[in-house]
Amino acid sequence: MTSSCPAISFKICQFLADHMQHLAEQYCMLTPPRCCLALLDLRLLSSLIEQPDTPAHLLSPGENALFQRFRLDKRRLEWLGGRVAAKHCIHQLLAPDASPSLFHQYSILSNTHGGPRLEQTTCQDVALSISHSRGYAAAVACRSGSCGIDVQYLTPKLAAVADRFTHEDELDLISPLSAPLTRLGLIWTAKEAVKKCLLADHPSFLGRIRLTWIEHDQKSSLWTAQCRISQPAVMAATVRIAEMDNHLVACATGDAHA
């Protein structure tokens, strides 16, 4: 990685990095010290993506080749936002005191299970997770162990599919004073984050994860939940969840060999 970059690249990287760092500081309670979190308001990236050279400043050649295949504007924006958020996490994890690097020097492609993987061989120990939903992209990176992140807009669609991912005993764990969509969103994001953290190679997961405990700290506005995984081995995971602009953001971290 080099510390120099053309003026336009530096300005784009600095602008996005400053925004993501500001949001990450607000939600730093979601992750332990060994991990880095990034949240990106996609409206900021939407204005930049109109400039034809922007993807080249943010993506590696391999990523850019994949990006150019996307035709839907929504898909292009969310995919690019997820990569930018993940690269910010990696930069903060590996070179926190350096000025924003050229994001295109990091290359994040997919592993055999479709999850994000940092291509540089010297950084193979970095675990990554990416999510996006209705105007936000989120990412988390850890130097050791595993991690999973989920951001979810509180849409009424959650109620329409509630029987696919939740049970009455799980809903009973959450105060009935909470809004119905919030209760469903807490369960959904917790399970999604745990799945990405510990069951990344298992496509079918909803029936394997159960919410067993959840607590809300009103002072910090942070939810802390525990989930139990029944297969392929009995495991437990802790998830931290926060509310953000009609979204919920959940982060799970754990031992990759649990």
Side-chain angles (χ1 to χ4, degrees):
M1 294 176 290
T2 62
S3 58
S4 62
C5 61
I8 186 171
S9 293
F10 180 82
K11 288 180 180 179
I12 291 174
C13 294
Q14 185 70 63
F15 171 72
L16 294 173
D18 287 347
H19 161 73
M20 288 185 285
Q21 192 61 29
H22 176 68
L23 275 181
E25 289 171 358
Q26 293 183 55
Y27 295 95
C28 61
M29 67 284 196
L30 288 171
T31 57
R34 63 185 173 85
C35 299
C36 287
L37 170 75
L39 299 164
L40 175 61
D41 186 335
L42 293 178
R43 291 174 296 183
L44 300 180
L45 192 58
S46 180
S47 60
L48 294 174
I49 206 173
E50 305 279 336
Q51 304 172 24
D53 292 336
T54 293
H57 294 306
L58 300 175
L59 300 174
S60 69
E63 291 171 322
N64 199 23
L66 180 58
F67 175 76
Q68 296 304 326
R69 299 176 193 171
F70 301 137
R71 292 293 174 258
L72 295 178
D73 290 343
K74 180 176 181 292
R75 173 61 172 154
R76 288 164 62 87
L77 180 62
E78 291 178 340
W79 190 90
L80 180 60
R83 260 44 188 186
V84 169
K87 292 180 183 196
H88 180 69
C89 288
I90 293 166
H91 184 66
Q92 291 298 306
L93 201 65
L94 302 181
D97 298 324
S99 61
S101 72
L102 284 172
F103 281 148
H104 73 250
Q105 292 179 325
Y106 299 107
S107 186
I108 302 170
L109 298 178
S110 298
N111 60 26
T112 55
H113 304 293
R117 180 174 68 90
L118 183 62
E119 291 295 295
Q120 283 87 337
T121 57
T122 58
C123 305
Q124 294 268 334
D125 59 336
V126 174
L128 280 174
S129 182
I130 296 173
S131 181
H132 49 72
S133 178
R134 190 72 73 87
Y136 279 97
V140 65
C142 297
R143 285 299 298 260
S144 61
S146 54
C147 56
I149 195 164
D150 188 61
V151 56
Q152 175 62 54
Y153 178 72
L154 293 177
T155 170
K157 292 181 180 179
L158 286 171
V161 297
D163 60 345
R164 300 182 188 178
F165 68 87
T166 189
H167 303 271
E168 285 297 327
D169 59 329
E170 293 174 317
L171 289 168
D172 289 342
L173 295 172
I174 306 169
S175 170
L177 297 178
S178 301
L181 279 181
T182 299
R183 297 170 77 194
L184 292 174
L186 288 166
I187 297 171
W188 174 263
T189 55
K191 292 186 177 184
E192 277 281 350
V194 170
K195 188 266 182 185
K196 292 179 180 179
C197 180
L198 297 175
L199 296 176
D201 56 346
H202 294 269
S204 177
F205 71 95
L206 292 176
R208 305 180 186 187
I209 304 172
R210 294 295 291 267
L211 187 74
T212 58
W213 175 84
I214 188 165
E215 182 178 72
H216 185 223
D217 184 337
Q218 293 185 347
K219 185 176 180 180
S220 64
S221 297
L222 180 71
W223 296 84
T224 303
Q226 289 183 349
C227 292
R228 183 178 185 274
I229 301 167
S230 58
Q231 296 177 4
V234 176
M235 294 181 282
T238 299
V239 191
R240 297 175 179 87
I241 311 167
E243 298 181 62
M244 179 186 68
D245 292 347
N246 295 319
H247 294 69
L248 291 175
V249 184
C251 186
T253 54
D255 182 352
H257 305 289

